[in-house]
Amino acid sequence: MPGMVLFGRRWAIASDDLVFPGFFELSLRVVWWIGILTLYLTHRGKLNCTGGALLTSYLIVLLVLLAIIICTVAAITCVSMKGTICNPGPRKSMSKLLYLRLALFLPEMVWASLGAAWIADDVQCDKTVVNGIIATVVISWVIIVSTVVTIIIVFDPLGGKMAPYPSAGPNHLDSRESSQLLNGLKTAATSVWETRIKLLCCCVGKDDHTRVAFSSTAELFSTYFSDTDLVPSDIAAGLTLLHQQQDNIRNSQEPDEVISHSPGPPQEADLDTELANCHHYMQFAAAAYGWPLYVYRNPFTGLCKIGGDCCRSGTTDYDLVGGDRLHCHFGSILHTTGLQYRDFIHISFHDKVYELPFLVALDHRKESVVVAVRGTMSLQDILTDLSAESETLNLECGVQDCSAHKGISQAARYVYQRLVNDGILSQAFSIAPEYRLVVVGHSLGAGAAALLALMLRSSYPQVRCYAFSPPRGLLSKSLYEYSKTFIVSLVLGKDVIPRLSVTNLEDLKKRILRVIAHCNKPKYQILLHGCWYELFGGSPENFPTELDGGTQGDLTQPLLGEQSLLSHGSPTYSFSSDSPLESPTKYPPLYPPGRIIHLEEEGTAGRFCRSAARYSARWSHESQFSKILIGPKMLTDHMPDILMKALDSVVSGRAGYAFCPAGGGSNVDVV
């Protein structure tokens, strides 16, 4: 539902968003009204005191005022329950009711102020009556303040510019005027988003990289939200419907036919070998996070184990590895990797926009020099993630299209310059010249590790990379194909990050619009049903859409109702093709790195419980990650500790199968 237009401007709230707040306020005011009425009826004989007449008048007027407000809020709640997201017709009286409700705040504020003044005037009446009136005054002001806060939250800085074109859009203007209007709106939106991001990241700094990241992130957000008129609750309802729709489609499908083939050279197609390598090198990717992840994984013993390192001052041990002041980080790294301090060449926790922490260590068990890049842990890292434009890399690999994610490529270039220009890799290979180079990372660190491996491959042809939960929007198609020979990615379950790219976000937006347009239920029912489904499960076959008698393929066709969700009829958006985020130059389709091992949960171990979860592993094609999957585990599957537990389960299970061949063949499919 497009945002409501009140006082000549658009607000970030729809007319069907007032069911739950209206019900809450209605319940509170009914209880409040009953309490005041009970207080008046049971203690009116005790109001024959100094100031009692004023208090009697205060209670009577307050009862009448509350009765009017209760009726108004009840009407708002009932009207808000009518219609659907794309059919606001039954709610056309909502604006008048809201004007009436806001007008009632004036006498309520006046009466609350008078009540506070009378109580402060040292009224000599029954203590119970005085305390009851004090409570009513406090409740009045709490509700008034809450309303003001709500108004601030739903205030849309662009509402004044968008309100003149709520439905017809700028289509009645000529092409030049329409273009000028839309460009003005986009510029204003970018400015608003940049201001928001600067306020949120006020402690990040103000260097050149940070300013560039602010601009890139603001442009991404303003472009993504510029062509739709959705309020936050519409997005929540759409995600709820998509989750149930996905579960319904999955349950109705036959098991996929699995075609076995070798994905590459025989020595690299061995799933067991690569899983064992992933299991080993994941320890380094986790160690790069330092003490926060270690303490999170070991909440009862972590601080005790690394406490001595946290309090230790700089020693020769730290001078051997160089880098920043490590303190707790070094102790957690030693415990996570099982290495000695002499095995570390360099550890750096320097963290800025486009500059990631990393460590370099000698892994004698695998005879490798390991470079581990840290994933997202700070606002600076988030800005790096969100600098999602594409930029061309200067690689000596013979690939024509060498484009990649801008923010991550710049972060990888920073690590590359540190490794090469500061002589860190030269120092490592001077100690162990026969070792091979392995680059690892998780999340943002996985993307940076993959790009770093591409940059280092010309100098170190034997380089290998293990990318754990890497972002999808990373490499061009040609670089993705090229990376398959030396990069392995590991993805767990429904993890959203390996499915996250600008292209996939645009696809998600279109799917949200379509499923909302097909829905024949009011929003509050969708959200209630969705909360129940997320918490307790149930049958997704009854999800509330109009497709019960049709086919899911109908969702690929645009509906007239979708047009009502487009912002001022933006000509830049089409359900069949163009979108600002699908620009082939700035936001081209990008892909995950290397060959992909997918760890999938077998059966259902509960919607949130993982203690009994069992996983299987298989090679997967990147196309299986071309859509964002909605579910309660889409975020938790990305956590490094959850990934490590799943890896432990898979590796130990496959080792058991290797020693028990009579128990049947492996349950791992190679596709």
Side-chain angles (χ1 to χ4, degrees), residues 109-140:
M109 291 178 62
V110 171
W111 213 241
S113 301
L114 290 176
W118 290 337
I119 292 298
D121 197 24
D122 193 22
V123 177
Q124 302 296 325
C125 286
D126 184 77
K127 189 175 182 180
T128 303
V129 177
V130 174
N131 290 337
I133 295 178
I134 291 175
T136 63
V137 172
V138 171
I139 293 175
S140 295

PDB file of all heavy atoms in Angstrom, residues 109-140:
ATOM      1  N   MET A 109      -3.828  17.118  25.712  1.00  0.00           N
ATOM      2  CA  MET A 109      -2.624  17.744  26.252  1.00  0.00           C
ATOM      3  C   MET A 109      -2.980  18.849  27.240  1.00  0.00           C
ATOM      4  O   MET A 109      -2.364  18.979  28.304  1.00  0.00           O
ATOM      5  CB  MET A 109      -1.765  18.305  25.104  1.00  0.00           C
ATOM      6  CG  MET A 109      -1.118  17.254  24.229  1.00  0.00           C
ATOM      7  SD  MET A 109      -0.168  17.991  22.861  1.00  0.00           S
ATOM      8  CE  MET A 109       1.075  18.907  23.764  1.00  0.00           C
ATOM      9  N   VAL A 110      -4.007  19.647  26.891  1.00  0.00           N
ATOM     10  CA  VAL A 110      -4.431  20.729  27.791  1.00  0.00           C
ATOM     11  C   VAL A 110      -4.918  20.155  29.115  1.00  0.00           C
ATOM     12  O   VAL A 110      -4.549  20.629  30.202  1.00  0.00           O
ATOM     13  CB  VAL A 110      -5.528  21.580  27.119  1.00  0.00           C
ATOM     14  CG1 VAL A 110      -6.126  22.565  28.126  1.00  0.00           C
ATOM     15  CG2 VAL A 110      -4.962  22.323  25.912  1.00  0.00           C
ATOM     16  N   TRP A 111      -5.722  19.117  29.030  1.00  0.00           N
ATOM     17  CA  TRP A 111      -6.280  18.534  30.256  1.00  0.00           C
ATOM     18  C   TRP A 111      -5.210  17.837  31.086  1.00  0.00           C
ATOM     19  O   TRP A 111      -5.243  17.876  32.317  1.00  0.00           O
ATOM     20  CB  TRP A 111      -7.404  17.575  29.897  1.00  0.00           C
ATOM     21  CG  TRP A 111      -8.493  17.565  30.937  1.00  0.00           C
ATOM     22  CD1 TRP A 111      -8.912  16.519  31.689  1.00  0.00           C
ATOM     23  CD2 TRP A 111      -9.283  18.679  31.345  1.00  0.00           C
ATOM     24  NE1 TRP A 111      -9.911  16.899  32.534  1.00  0.00           N
ATOM     25  CE2 TRP A 111     -10.163  18.236  32.345  1.00  0.00           C
ATOM     26  CE3 TRP A 111      -9.341  20.022  30.951  1.00  0.00           C
ATOM     27  CZ2 TRP A 111     -11.079  19.060  32.971  1.00  0.00           C
ATOM     28  CZ3 TRP A 111     -10.260  20.859  31.575  1.00  0.00           C
ATOM     29  CH2 TRP A 111     -11.108  20.368  32.569  1.00  0.00           C
ATOM     30  N   ALA A 112      -4.241  17.197  30.427  1.00  0.00           N
ATOM     31  CA  ALA A 112      -3.139  16.580  31.162  1.00  0.00           C
ATOM     32  C   ALA A 112      -2.301  17.643  31.862  1.00  0.00           C
ATOM     33  O   ALA A 112      -1.839  17.450  33.000  1.00  0.00           O
ATOM     34  CB  ALA A 112      -2.267  15.759  30.208  1.00  0.00           C
ATOM     35  N   SER A 113      -2.100  18.780  31.202  1.00  0.00           N
ATOM     36  CA  SER A 113      -1.336  19.875  31.819  1.00  0.00           C
ATOM     37  C   SER A 113      -2.081  20.445  33.023  1.00  0.00           C
ATOM     38  O   SER A 113      -1.482  20.710  34.083  1.00  0.00           O
ATOM     39  CB  SER A 113      -1.083  20.984  30.792  1.00  0.00           C
ATOM     40  OG  SER A 113      -0.360  20.485  29.684  1.00  0.00           O
ATOM     41  N   LEU A 114      -3.408  20.638  32.879  1.00  0.00           N
ATOM     42  CA  LEU A 114      -4.203  21.137  34.006  1.00  0.00           C
ATOM     43  C   LEU A 114      -4.190  20.149  35.166  1.00  0.00           C
ATOM     44  O   LEU A 114      -4.091  20.543  36.333  1.00  0.00           O
ATOM     45  CB  LEU A 114      -5.641  21.401  33.553  1.00  0.00           C
ATOM     46  CG  LEU A 114      -5.845  22.590  32.604  1.00  0.00           C
ATOM     47  CD1 LEU A 114      -7.304  22.675  32.161  1.00  0.00           C
ATOM     48  CD2 LEU A 114      -5.418  23.898  33.272  1.00  0.00           C
ATOM     49  N   GLY A 115      -4.293  18.855  34.838  1.00  0.00           N
ATOM     50  CA  GLY A 115      -4.247  17.844  35.897  1.00  0.00           C
ATOM     51  C   GLY A 115      -2.934  17.880  36.649  1.00  0.00           C
ATOM     52  O   GLY A 115      -2.903  17.788  37.892  1.00  0.00           O
ATOM     53  N   ALA A 116      -1.827  18.031  35.918  1.00  0.00           N
ATOM     54  CA  ALA A 116      -0.524  18.118  36.577  1.00  0.00           C
ATOM     55  C   ALA A 116      -0.438  19.362  37.451  1.00  0.00           C
ATOM     56  O   ALA A 116       0.119  19.327  38.562  1.00  0.00           O
ATOM     57  CB  ALA A 116       0.584  18.132  35.510  1.00  0.00           C
ATOM     58  N   ALA A 117      -0.999  20.484  36.961  1.00  0.00           N
ATOM     59  CA  ALA A 117      -0.965  21.729  37.752  1.00  0.00           C
ATOM     60  C   ALA A 117      -1.796  21.599  39.015  1.00  0.00           C
ATOM     61  O   ALA A 117      -1.377  22.045  40.097  1.00  0.00           O
ATOM     62  CB  ALA A 117      -1.466  22.891  36.895  1.00  0.00           C
ATOM     63  N   TRP A 118      -2.956  20.985  38.924  1.00  0.00           N
ATOM     64  CA  TRP A 118      -3.810  20.844  40.105  1.00  0.00           C
ATOM     65  C   TRP A 118      -3.184  19.916  41.139  1.00  0.00           C
ATOM     66  O   TRP A 118      -3.265  20.157  42.337  1.00  0.00           O
ATOM     67  CB  TRP A 118      -5.182  20.311  39.685  1.00  0.00           C
ATOM     68  CG  TRP A 118      -5.979  21.330  38.919  1.00  0.00           C
ATOM     69  CD1 TRP A 118      -5.834  22.679  38.951  1.00  0.00           C
ATOM     70  CD2 TRP A 118      -7.041  21.068  37.999  1.00  0.00           C
ATOM     71  NE1 TRP A 118      -6.730  23.289  38.114  1.00  0.00           N
ATOM     72  CE2 TRP A 118      -7.507  22.323  37.514  1.00  0.00           C
ATOM     73  CE3 TRP A 118      -7.674  19.918  37.530  1.00  0.00           C
ATOM     74  CZ2 TRP A 118      -8.539  22.443  36.598  1.00  0.00           C
ATOM     75  CZ3 TRP A 118      -8.708  20.040  36.628  1.00  0.00           C
ATOM     76  CH2 TRP A 118      -9.129  21.290  36.159  1.00  0.00           C
ATOM     77  N   ILE A 119      -2.561  18.851  40.670  1.00  0.00           N
ATOM     78  CA  ILE A 119      -1.925  17.940  41.616  1.00  0.00           C
ATOM     79  C   ILE A 119      -0.752  18.624  42.304  1.00  0.00           C
ATOM     80  O   ILE A 119      -0.497  18.438  43.496  1.00  0.00           O
ATOM     81  CB  ILE A 119      -1.453  16.658  40.881  1.00  0.00           C
ATOM     82  CG1 ILE A 119      -2.672  15.845  40.412  1.00  0.00           C
ATOM     83  CG2 ILE A 119      -0.576  15.809  41.786  1.00  0.00           C
ATOM     84  CD1 ILE A 119      -3.556  15.357  41.534  1.00  0.00           C
ATOM     85  N   ALA A 120      -0.020  19.442  41.544  1.00  0.00           N
ATOM     86  CA  ALA A 120       1.135  20.133  42.119  1.00  0.00           C
ATOM     87  C   ALA A 120       0.722  21.243  43.082  1.00  0.00           C
ATOM     88  O   ALA A 120       1.568  21.775  43.820  1.00  0.00           O
ATOM     89  CB  ALA A 120       1.994  20.720  41.000  1.00  0.00           C
ATOM     90  N   ASP A 121      -0.566  21.588  43.098  1.00  0.00           N
ATOM     91  CA  ASP A 121      -1.050  22.690  43.932  1.00  0.00           C
ATOM     92  C   ASP A 121      -1.395  22.232  45.344  1.00  0.00           C
ATOM     93  O   ASP A 121      -2.235  22.831  46.016  1.00  0.00           O
ATOM     94  CB  ASP A 121      -2.281  23.337  43.280  1.00  0.00           C
ATOM     95  CG  ASP A 121      -2.565  24.721  43.878  1.00  0.00           C
ATOM     96  OD1 ASP A 121      -1.619  25.338  44.416  1.00  0.00           O
ATOM     97  OD2 ASP A 121      -3.711  25.166  43.796  1.00  0.00           O
ATOM     98  N   ASP A 122      -0.784  21.124  45.763  1.00  0.00           N
ATOM     99  CA  ASP A 122      -0.932  20.608  47.132  1.00  0.00           C
ATOM    100  C   ASP A 122      -2.398  20.407  47.506  1.00  0.00           C
ATOM    101  O   ASP A 122      -2.926  21.016  48.446  1.00  0.00           O
ATOM    102  CB  ASP A 122      -0.253  21.561  48.130  1.00  0.00           C
ATOM    103  CG  ASP A 122      -0.099  20.906  49.498  1.00  0.00           C
ATOM    104  OD1 ASP A 122      -0.112  19.660  49.557  1.00  0.00           O
ATOM    105  OD2 ASP A 122       0.028  21.640  50.491  1.00  0.00           O
ATOM    106  N   VAL A 123      -3.078  19.545  46.738  1.00  0.00           N
ATOM    107  CA  VAL A 123      -4.484  19.246  46.998  1.00  0.00           C
ATOM    108  C   VAL A 123      -4.605  18.397  48.263  1.00  0.00           C
ATOM    109  O   VAL A 123      -3.899  17.393  48.420  1.00  0.00           O
ATOM    110  CB  VAL A 123      -5.100  18.507  45.788  1.00  0.00           C
ATOM    111  CG1 VAL A 123      -6.541  18.123  46.090  1.00  0.00           C
ATOM    112  CG2 VAL A 123      -5.019  19.386  44.553  1.00  0.00           C
ATOM    113  N   GLN A 124      -5.481  18.796  49.173  1.00  0.00           N
ATOM    114  CA  GLN A 124      -5.679  18.073  50.434  1.00  0.00           C
ATOM    115  C   GLN A 124      -6.883  17.149  50.321  1.00  0.00           C
ATOM    116  O   GLN A 124      -7.945  17.409  50.864  1.00  0.00           O
ATOM    117  CB  GLN A 124      -5.882  19.091  51.581  1.00  0.00           C
ATOM    118  CG  GLN A 124      -4.751  20.068  51.758  1.00  0.00           C
ATOM    119  CD  GLN A 124      -3.450  19.378  52.164  1.00  0.00           C
ATOM    120  OE1 GLN A 124      -3.471  18.393  52.908  1.00  0.00           O
ATOM    121  NE2 GLN A 124      -2.337  19.892  51.675  1.00  0.00           N
ATOM    122  N   CYS A 125      -6.705  16.045  49.589  1.00  0.00           N
ATOM    123  CA  CYS A 125      -7.783  15.069  49.413  1.00  0.00           C
ATOM    124  C   CYS A 125      -7.272  13.679  49.750  1.00  0.00           C
ATOM    125  O   CYS A 125      -6.095  13.489  50.099  1.00  0.00           O
ATOM    126  CB  CYS A 125      -8.305  15.106  47.980  1.00  0.00           C
ATOM    127  SG  CYS A 125      -9.322  16.555  47.610  1.00  0.00           S
ATOM    128  N   ASP A 126      -8.193  12.708  49.638  1.00  0.00           N
ATOM    129  CA  ASP A 126      -7.839  11.330  49.934  1.00  0.00           C
ATOM    130  C   ASP A 126      -6.633  10.907  49.106  1.00  0.00           C
ATOM    131  O   ASP A 126      -6.550  11.179  47.907  1.00  0.00           O
ATOM    132  CB  ASP A 126      -9.032  10.417  49.625  1.00  0.00           C
ATOM    133  CG  ASP A 126      -8.746   8.983  50.017  1.00  0.00           C
ATOM    134  OD1 ASP A 126      -8.797   8.663  51.204  1.00  0.00           O
ATOM    135  OD2 ASP A 126      -8.443   8.189  49.083  1.00  0.00           O
ATOM    136  N   LYS A 127      -5.672  10.224  49.754  1.00  0.00           N
ATOM    137  CA  LYS A 127      -4.420   9.851  49.097  1.00  0.00           C
ATOM    138  C   LYS A 127      -4.650   8.932  47.916  1.00  0.00           C
ATOM    139  O   LYS A 127      -3.973   9.031  46.889  1.00  0.00           O
ATOM    140  CB  LYS A 127      -3.497   9.184  50.114  1.00  0.00           C
ATOM    141  CG  LYS A 127      -2.090   8.946  49.595  1.00  0.00           C
ATOM    142  CD  LYS A 127      -1.190   8.396  50.690  1.00  0.00           C
ATOM    143  CE  LYS A 127       0.234   8.206  50.161  1.00  0.00           C
ATOM    144  NZ  LYS A 127       1.129   7.666  51.224  1.00  0.00           N
ATOM    145  N   THR A 128      -5.620   8.027  48.029  1.00  0.00           N
ATOM    146  CA  THR A 128      -5.916   7.102  46.926  1.00  0.00           C
ATOM    147  C   THR A 128      -6.376   7.857  45.693  1.00  0.00           C
ATOM    148  O   THR A 128      -5.962   7.563  44.567  1.00  0.00           O
ATOM    149  CB  THR A 128      -6.995   6.095  47.347  1.00  0.00           C
ATOM    150  OG1 THR A 128      -6.556   5.390  48.516  1.00  0.00           O
ATOM    151  CG2 THR A 128      -7.272   5.102  46.229  1.00  0.00           C
ATOM    152  N   VAL A 129      -7.239   8.857  45.894  1.00  0.00           N
ATOM    153  CA  VAL A 129      -7.734   9.656  44.773  1.00  0.00           C
ATOM    154  C   VAL A 129      -6.591  10.424  44.123  1.00  0.00           C
ATOM    155  O   VAL A 129      -6.458  10.464  42.889  1.00  0.00           O
ATOM    156  CB  VAL A 129      -8.836  10.625  45.251  1.00  0.00           C
ATOM    157  CG1 VAL A 129      -9.288  11.509  44.106  1.00  0.00           C
ATOM    158  CG2 VAL A 129     -10.006   9.854  45.824  1.00  0.00           C
ATOM    159  N   VAL A 130      -5.752  11.037  44.954  1.00  0.00           N
ATOM    160  CA  VAL A 130      -4.637  11.820  44.417  1.00  0.00           C
ATOM    161  C   VAL A 130      -3.682  10.929  43.628  1.00  0.00           C
ATOM    162  O   VAL A 130      -3.241  11.279  42.524  1.00  0.00           O
ATOM    163  CB  VAL A 130      -3.894  12.542  45.559  1.00  0.00           C
ATOM    164  CG1 VAL A 130      -2.646  13.240  45.027  1.00  0.00           C
ATOM    165  CG2 VAL A 130      -4.808  13.546  46.238  1.00  0.00           C
ATOM    166  N   ASN A 131      -3.357   9.765  44.175  1.00  0.00           N
ATOM    167  CA  ASN A 131      -2.455   8.849  43.468  1.00  0.00           C
ATOM    168  C   ASN A 131      -3.062   8.366  42.157  1.00  0.00           C
ATOM    169  O   ASN A 131      -2.367   8.208  41.144  1.00  0.00           O
ATOM    170  CB  ASN A 131      -2.126   7.651  44.354  1.00  0.00           C
ATOM    171  CG  ASN A 131      -1.224   8.024  45.526  1.00  0.00           C
ATOM    172  OD1 ASN A 131      -0.515   9.034  45.469  1.00  0.00           O
ATOM    173  ND2 ASN A 131      -1.258   7.220  46.580  1.00  0.00           N
ATOM    174  N   GLY A 132      -4.391   8.131  42.169  1.00  0.00           N
ATOM    175  CA  GLY A 132      -5.053   7.710  40.943  1.00  0.00           C
ATOM    176  C   GLY A 132      -4.991   8.779  39.866  1.00  0.00           C
ATOM    177  O   GLY A 132      -4.765   8.493  38.685  1.00  0.00           O
ATOM    178  N   ILE A 133      -5.186  10.027  40.263  1.00  0.00           N
ATOM    179  CA  ILE A 133      -5.131  11.127  39.290  1.00  0.00           C
ATOM    180  C   ILE A 133      -3.703  11.335  38.798  1.00  0.00           C
ATOM    181  O   ILE A 133      -3.471  11.628  37.620  1.00  0.00           O
ATOM    182  CB  ILE A 133      -5.701  12.411  39.916  1.00  0.00           C
ATOM    183  CG1 ILE A 133      -7.198  12.208  40.208  1.00  0.00           C
ATOM    184  CG2 ILE A 133      -5.484  13.607  39.005  1.00  0.00           C
ATOM    185  CD1 ILE A 133      -7.862  13.380  40.872  1.00  0.00           C
ATOM    186  N   ILE A 134      -2.720  11.168  39.689  1.00  0.00           N
ATOM    187  CA  ILE A 134      -1.319  11.254  39.254  1.00  0.00           C
ATOM    188  C   ILE A 134      -1.034  10.203  38.189  1.00  0.00           C
ATOM    189  O   ILE A 134      -0.373  10.486  37.178  1.00  0.00           O
ATOM    190  CB  ILE A 134      -0.374  11.087  40.464  1.00  0.00           C
ATOM    191  CG1 ILE A 134      -0.473  12.299  41.388  1.00  0.00           C
ATOM    192  CG2 ILE A 134       1.063  10.886  39.995  1.00  0.00           C
ATOM    193  CD1 ILE A 134       0.338  12.156  42.659  1.00  0.00           C
ATOM    194  N   ALA A 135      -1.562   8.991  38.405  1.00  0.00           N
ATOM    195  CA  ALA A 135      -1.357   7.922  37.421  1.00  0.00           C
ATOM    196  C   ALA A 135      -1.982   8.283  36.075  1.00  0.00           C
ATOM    197  O   ALA A 135      -1.383   8.028  35.015  1.00  0.00           O
ATOM    198  CB  ALA A 135      -1.944   6.612  37.943  1.00  0.00           C
ATOM    199  N   THR A 136      -3.191   8.878  36.102  1.00  0.00           N
ATOM    200  CA  THR A 136      -3.834   9.253  34.839  1.00  0.00           C
ATOM    201  C   THR A 136      -3.042  10.334  34.109  1.00  0.00           C
ATOM    202  O   THR A 136      -2.927  10.314  32.880  1.00  0.00           O
ATOM    203  CB  THR A 136      -5.267   9.762  35.089  1.00  0.00           C
ATOM    204  OG1 THR A 136      -5.219  10.939  35.896  1.00  0.00           O
ATOM    205  CG2 THR A 136      -6.102   8.704  35.790  1.00  0.00           C
ATOM    206  N   VAL A 137      -2.477  11.274  34.862  1.00  0.00           N
ATOM    207  CA  VAL A 137      -1.667  12.326  34.241  1.00  0.00           C
ATOM    208  C   VAL A 137      -0.417  11.731  33.605  1.00  0.00           C
ATOM    209  O   VAL A 137      -0.040  12.073  32.470  1.00  0.00           O
ATOM    210  CB  VAL A 137      -1.302  13.405  35.281  1.00  0.00           C
ATOM    211  CG1 VAL A 137      -0.297  14.385  34.695  1.00  0.00           C
ATOM    212  CG2 VAL A 137      -2.546  14.136  35.752  1.00  0.00           C
ATOM    213  N   VAL A 138       0.234  10.813  34.325  1.00  0.00           N
ATOM    214  CA  VAL A 138       1.449  10.177  33.791  1.00  0.00           C
ATOM    215  C   VAL A 138       1.132   9.392  32.523  1.00  0.00           C
ATOM    216  O   VAL A 138       1.853   9.474  31.513  1.00  0.00           O
ATOM    217  CB  VAL A 138       2.082   9.268  34.863  1.00  0.00           C
ATOM    218  CG1 VAL A 138       3.203   8.427  34.253  1.00  0.00           C
ATOM    219  CG2 VAL A 138       2.617  10.093  36.025  1.00  0.00           C
ATOM    220  N   ILE A 139       0.041   8.622  32.560  1.00  0.00           N
ATOM    221  CA  ILE A 139      -0.331   7.828  31.378  1.00  0.00           C
ATOM    222  C   ILE A 139      -0.626   8.739  30.190  1.00  0.00           C
ATOM    223  O   ILE A 139      -0.247   8.451  29.048  1.00  0.00           O
ATOM    224  CB  ILE A 139      -1.544   6.933  31.706  1.00  0.00           C
ATOM    225  CG1 ILE A 139      -1.156   5.870  32.731  1.00  0.00           C
ATOM    226  CG2 ILE A 139      -2.071   6.263  30.439  1.00  0.00           C
ATOM    227  CD1 ILE A 139      -2.322   5.019  33.213  1.00  0.00           C
ATOM    228  N   SER A 140      -1.299   9.857  30.456  1.00  0.00           N
ATOM    229  CA  SER A 140      -1.615  10.796  29.376  1.00  0.00           C
ATOM    230  C   SER A 140      -0.344  11.285  28.700  1.00  0.00           C
ATOM    231  O   SER A 140      -0.238  11.286  27.466  1.00  0.00           O
ATOM    232  CB  SER A 140      -2.400  11.983  29.921  1.00  0.00           C
ATOM    233  OG  SER A 140      -3.659  11.580  30.413  1.00  0.00           O
TER     234      SER A 140
END
